Amino acid sequence: MSERIIKVAAVQSEPVWFDLAGTTQKTIRLIAEAAEQGARLIAFPELWLPGYPIFLWLGDETWQASRRARYIENSAMLNGPEHQAIAAAAREHGIEVVLGLSERDAAGRIYISQWIIDAEGKTVMTRRKLKPPSLEGGFFASGDPDTNLKVVKTAVGTIGALNCAEHKRPMLRHLMYSQSEEIHVAAWPALGLVPKVVIMNAKTIMGTTSAYAAEGGMYVLAPTLVIGAEIFAEFTDTPERAEKISLGGGATHIFDPEGQDAVPPLPHDTDGLLIAEIDLSRLRLDYFDPDPLAPVPAD
């Protein structure tokens, strides 16, 4: 088959925590940096904008109250000024953007959302996490299953996206594979939260993500957040909280259609971009093929 080689970028970075304007500006800088390195697609972590609400795991609702209010105020709105600024950056730099964010609707509800903005600055897909689990479910509203499991054709290929624990649900994976994804964005938060919980650590989560790539026969970009020294110090003010958060926690990977790393990952405390060249002629979209080992016909 003919080569379809493109360069892609997966973010491993720290947001300007709970600051919509500040994180928007960092988003635009990362878009420019990825484009300067030749990337045609950049993928951001879950709730990159304005940062994953790590406080949900670190105290009761009374302690969280002011933080929750600030977080909602700093959640972006569809077609709002932050959305427009990021879309303009995508258009200026000619790059596809898969953005993870907290989206606020007109009624003040917030959602764990992903937007795909194409290289012309058009938002070609919006989706919301179907059922936020655990502590997230008391803060974020649920998405609609009839409209939030879809892929979109772009100039770089057919792209789909899911957030975090959605990758652990077999039916959701089945539905996404059935739409012949070529590039999937598996958005994860900071993996330095509750480090002693095995099912939430980087090894377990990235094992799940590499399996998604191998099972579906596609490339998977898995961006993650980084926990820096300042926010770490703020949230380790008691021994109890110090047990639930660790520095760094970045675990960004780019997996090939065999579930292997396309490039070596960054150190867990590195703030930056993971860049890889991917060859879409290697896709193995045979999830429903009765003979997945059959040779692929040449062009």
Side-chain angles (χ1 to χ4, degrees):
M1 297 178 70
S2 60
E3 291 184 340
R4 295 174 57 200
I5 296 175
I6 62 169
K7 191 174 283 189
V8 297
V11 171
Q12 178 176 295
S13 188
E14 183 174 24
V16 183
W17 291 101
F18 318 137
D19 181 335
L20 178 58
T23 306
T24 296
Q25 290 306 307
K26 186 164 186 178
T27 305
I28 291 169
R29 291 197 299 273
L30 288 170
I31 288 171
E33 181 181 337
E36 286 168 4
Q37 295 188 55
R40 296 182 60 196
L41 168 68
I42 181 172
F44 287 87
E46 181 181 44
L47 294 171
W48 162 257
L49 194 68
Y52 184 87
I54 54 181
F55 52 79
L56 293 177
W57 300 85
L58 302 176
D60 61 24
E61 289 195 17
T62 300
W63 176 81
Q64 292 179 30
S66 62
R67 294 174 173 85
R68 286 184 176 225
R70 179 185 175 192
Y71 193 90
I72 293 168
E73 290 172 2
N74 280 272
S75 295
M77 299 187 74
L78 190 67
N79 299 319
E82 296 80 19
H83 183 188
Q84 293 177 15
I86 293 168
R91 181 173 61 252
E92 177 184 353
H93 296 287
I95 188 171
E96 314 277 335
V97 177
V98 184
L99 181 68
L101 72 151
S102 174
E103 178 191 352
R104 177 162 51 95
D105 69 13
R109 293 180 293 261
I110 56 173
Y111 301 85
I112 301 173
S113 294
Q114 289 167 297
W115 296 343
I116 298 180
I117 302 168
D118 72 14
E120 296 180 355
K122 180 181 178 181
T123 299
V124 293
M125 190 185 84
T126 62
R127 72 169 305 269
R128 294 166 171 173
K129 193 173 186 176
L130 298 185
K131 184 67 177 176
S134 187
L135 299 173
E136 293 175 2
F139 191 40
F140 292 98
S142 296
D144 174 7
D146 292 333
T147 58
N148 286 281
L149 293 170
K150 54 189 176 182
V151 303
V152 61
K153 291 183 178 180
T154 74
V156 299
T158 301
I159 302 174
L162 293 173
N163 274 305
C164 196
E166 290 183 315
H167 295 89
K168 299 179 180 180
R169 294 174 169 79
M171 184 55 71
L172 299 193
R173 298 200 305 270
H174 172 87
L175 289 171
M176 297 300 288
Y177 298 158
S178 71
Q179 298 175 75
S180 297
E181 286 181 285
E182 295 180 320
I183 302 171
H184 177 79
V185 174
W188 297 94
L191 302 185
L193 275 174
V194 290
K196 294 182 179 180
V197 178
V198 172
I199 63 170
M200 293 181 65
N201 69 26
K203 181 178 180 180
T204 302
I205 283 172
M206 288 303 150
T208 296
T209 312
S210 66
Y212 189 104
E215 186 176 54
M218 70 195 71
Y219 284 93
V220 174
L221 280 61
T224 59
L225 295 169
V226 172
I227 295 172
E230 186 175 341
I231 197 73
F232 176 77
E234 178 180 343
F235 286 137
T236 54
D237 56 334
T238 70
E240 293 76 20
R241 277 193 274 276
E243 289 286 314
K244 297 180 179 180
I245 187 172
S246 61
L247 274 169
T252 294
H253 286 256
I254 298 174
F255 293 112
D256 69 17
E258 283 74 48
Q260 305 302 303
D261 282 304
V263 289
L266 303 170
H268 78 97
D269 54 355
T270 296
D271 189 301
L273 297 172
L274 186 65
I275 306 281
E277 277 193 345
I278 64 174
D279 181 357
L280 296 179
S281 69
R282 293 182 58 199
L283 295 172
R284 198 191 68 254
L285 304 179
D286 52 26
Y287 186 64
F288 295 101
D289 191 328
D291 185 7
L293 298 180
V296 177
D299 284 347

